[in-house]
Amino acid sequence: MRGSIRTGTGLLFALLLCLPAPARDQEEPKELGLHTRASSRLFQVDLSISGDPDVVRSIQPSDFKFKIGVHKLTEFILDRVCEYPETAGSTGEGAVPDPVPVSRPGSFLFYFDQPHLTQAGRHNSLVKARELVRLLVRDGNRAMIVSNADRHVTLTGFTEDQAELLAALDRLENDPTQLSTWATGESSRLDAVITAMNELDTVEHAAAVARQHQRTDRLLTEKNLNRLEATLPRLAGLPPPKVVIYFADTMRHNAGEHYLGFFSPGVIAAVPTLSLMQNDSLTARIPFDRVVHQASANSIRFYPVQAEGLTFEVQRLGLTFQGLEKAGQMPTVTSDRSRMAQDTLASLATETGGSYFINGPSAEVIADTIRSDLSCLFIVSFDPSPYSMDEPHRFVAKLKRKGAKLHSRGQVLFQSESKKLTDRLLAAFTAPGSDNPQ
């Protein structure tokens, strides 16, 4: 038996040796594929250019100056992603209007951050979103809809079908799981601090109530920003322009800091709990910065909308003499919370090359601004390898031509391959659904 096994094994080995060796050219595609991927790792930054059509048409790479951090960027590829249609000559009756440039189709993410939408804000955001779908999702543009509440849901993947998007907005409006009373309840939380200042015996006790609400506010905001950050890689593989229309009323990058507006600087310095709150506010911005970094890494522009519009509600502080004595000054919390929310939306837009909308502009104004920003793009491509990975770099772009105006993002971030893979896996887990733009 052992002899037959050895004989069979020997014959099998001999047959294997007789087989022809695989041709080396069969392995070549793997090597070529690696070279292809390595040569395509250029980072792209989209620039918005507007102005005199003749000037824009004649812009050359030498007309730009770029800096990344403290270093000048001198080696780059410039692609013009807009065309001015030819116009007929003047017939003698009035001047021919300037042609409107045409850019490539864009991808729009409508993102509803429900815990940071007031009741009026949620209603208005849905109304504006329906109008924006009709105004923006045309001529090859596509959009998807994501909503964040207790559950984070993708209502539709990228599509050019207006009817599908409008139906998704209808489902969102009537979905009780996509409602949140957190923003509406902010007045009640402020009232709780006022009651503590009026009724509790020491400022330390009132500070403890403020601290509790600050911590809750910060934890919730951090969770919501983490979800927003995790959603953005869904746009990573798409060509620019890539836009997030972000609906929120009370999002603040320094979440909970407005509770310090109840107390004077002297009281804050003297009470350890308030000093701790002040220190925490310095690190509360980190989750917000990660959202900006993710947008910067993927050439995404934010267009935040404070959907509740103009509000004339005045928080009645109702502080007694005892409460004012604890505060040490007339509290500024009412104006602080509104200003902080608007500053956050402005910062999100400015750092990513977008625009922000507060005090209730119409959908037509929002759409016109976005179309104007995206109508003529110049794409700057360059090798990011000389720069450090996974950390932000200040980006400065200047155009040395009169008659044309440049609008750009404020920073760039170059992601390592491992970071890209991690982010895309997290995006697939956090916001599942089809994001195929085809």
Side-chain angles (χ1 to χ4, degrees), residues 7 39 56 79 83 87 92 95 98 101 112 115 125 154 171 177 209 213 260 265 271-272 292 321 332 340 357 363:
T7 301
S39 63
V56 175
D79 293 311
E83 296 181 1
T87 57
D98 288 338
F112 298 84
S125 66
T154 302
R171 294 197 306 274
T177 69
V209 175
H213 289 303
L260 289 172
V271 178
V292 174
F321 177 79
T332 61
M340 290 174 180
F357 306 95

Side-chain angles (χ1 to χ4, degrees), residues 138-159:
R138 56 172 62 176
D139 303 323
N141 292 336
R142 55 203 170 227
M144 70 180 297
I145 300 172
V146 174
S147 179
N148 171 56
D150 288 341
R151 293 169 52 245
H152 188 265
V153 298
T154 302
L155 290 107
T156 177
F158 279 108
T159 178

Side-chain angles (χ1 to χ4, degrees), residues 198-220:
N198 287 339
E199 298 180 2
L200 297 181
D201 54 349
T202 65
V203 67
E204 286 80 4
H205 289 157
V209 175
R211 169 65 168 163
Q212 177 186 359
H213 289 303
Q214 182 215 28
R215 292 184 62 183
T216 305
D217 198 341
R218 176 173 175 174
L219 288 173
L220 180 71

Side-chain angles (χ1 to χ4, degrees), residues 63-109:
D63 295 322
F64 290 94
K65 292 179 66 176
F66 301 110
K67 286 184 68 176
I68 299 177
V70 298
H71 304 287
K72 293 182 179 179
L73 178 65
T74 57
E75 296 184 5
F76 57 88
I77 301 170
L78 186 68
D79 293 311
R80 188 193 314 268
V81 192
C82 72
E83 296 181 1
Y84 284 87
E86 295 296 330
T87 57
S90 174
T91 61
E93 296 183 3
V96 177
D98 288 338
V100 178
V102 179
S103 182
R104 66 163 61 139
S107 301
F108 297 85
L109 166 60

Side-chain angles (χ1 to χ4, degrees), residues 190-428:
L190 295 177
D191 286 340
V193 179
I194 293 170
T195 299
M197 295 178 71
N198 287 339
E199 298 180 2
L200 297 181
D201 54 349
T202 65
V203 67
E204 286 80 4
H205 289 157
V209 175
R211 169 65 168 163
Q212 177 186 359
H213 289 303
Q214 182 215 28
R215 292 184 62 183
T216 305
D217 198 341
R218 176 173 175 174
L219 288 173
L220 180 71
T221 301
E222 182 173 355
K223 180 185 75 172
N224 296 329
L225 287 172
N226 288 342
R227 287 178 170 182
L228 176 58
E229 178 199 0
T231 306
L232 298 184
R234 299 281 296 278
L235 285 70
L238 305 178
K242 296 178 279 189
V243 167
V244 177
I245 301 176
Y246 176 70
F247 294 101
D249 299 319
T250 64
M251 169 58 73
R252 303 182 185 94
H253 54 58
N254 51 349
E257 185 180 341
H258 59 282
Y259 288 103
L260 289 172
F262 279 108
F263 308 96
S264 70
V267 172
I268 293 173
V271 178
T273 300
L274 297 176
S275 297
L276 182 61
M277 289 173 62
Q278 190 172 49
N279 292 335
D280 280 358
S281 68
L282 299 177
T283 58
R285 187 187 172 101
I286 293 175
F288 174 84
D289 287 339
R290 289 201 300 263
V291 171
V292 174
H293 296 166
Q294 190 67 255
S296 301
N298 293 295
S299 297
I300 297 170
R301 300 177 180 222
F302 267 84
Y303 288 82
V305 180
Q306 193 177 40
E308 69 176 346
L310 284 170
T311 57
F312 300 97
E313 178 184 358
V314 177
Q315 180 74 24
R316 297 186 61 184
L317 294 178
L319 286 173
T320 63
F321 177 79
Q322 181 181 1
L324 287 172
E325 189 176 28
K326 292 188 182 74
Q329 65 174 15
M330 181 59 68
T332 61
V333 62
T334 300
S335 59
D336 286 350
R337 61 178 181 142
S338 176
R339 174 183 54 80
M340 290 174 180
Q342 294 182 354
D343 287 351
T344 298
L345 300 185
S347 178
L348 186 58
T350 302
E351 289 297 328
T352 61
S355 299
Y356 60 96
F357 306 95
I358 59 177
N359 298 332
S362 67
E364 288 77 10
V365 170
I366 297 172
D368 287 346
T369 301
I370 294 175
R371 283 193 295 246
S372 176
D373 284 353
L374 306 183
S375 62
C376 188
L377 298 179
F378 280 63
I379 308 297
V380 182
S381 305
F382 57 92
D383 180 11
S385 60
Y387 308 99
S388 56
M389 297 286 157
D390 300 327
E391 61 180 50
H393 302 270
R394 178 59 53 190
F395 179 75
V396 178
K398 294 183 179 180
L399 179 60
K400 302 179 291 181
R401 289 292 299 272
K402 293 182 178 181
K405 183 179 178 181
L406 180 150
H407 182 58
S408 176
R409 64 183 63 251
Q411 62 175 257
V412 292
L413 186 143
F414 313 115
Q415 287 185 327
S416 61
E417 292 301 317
S418 60
K419 177 70 167 118
K420 290 179 183 178
L421 178 59
T422 300
D423 287 346
R424 291 180 186 181
L425 290 173
L426 184 59

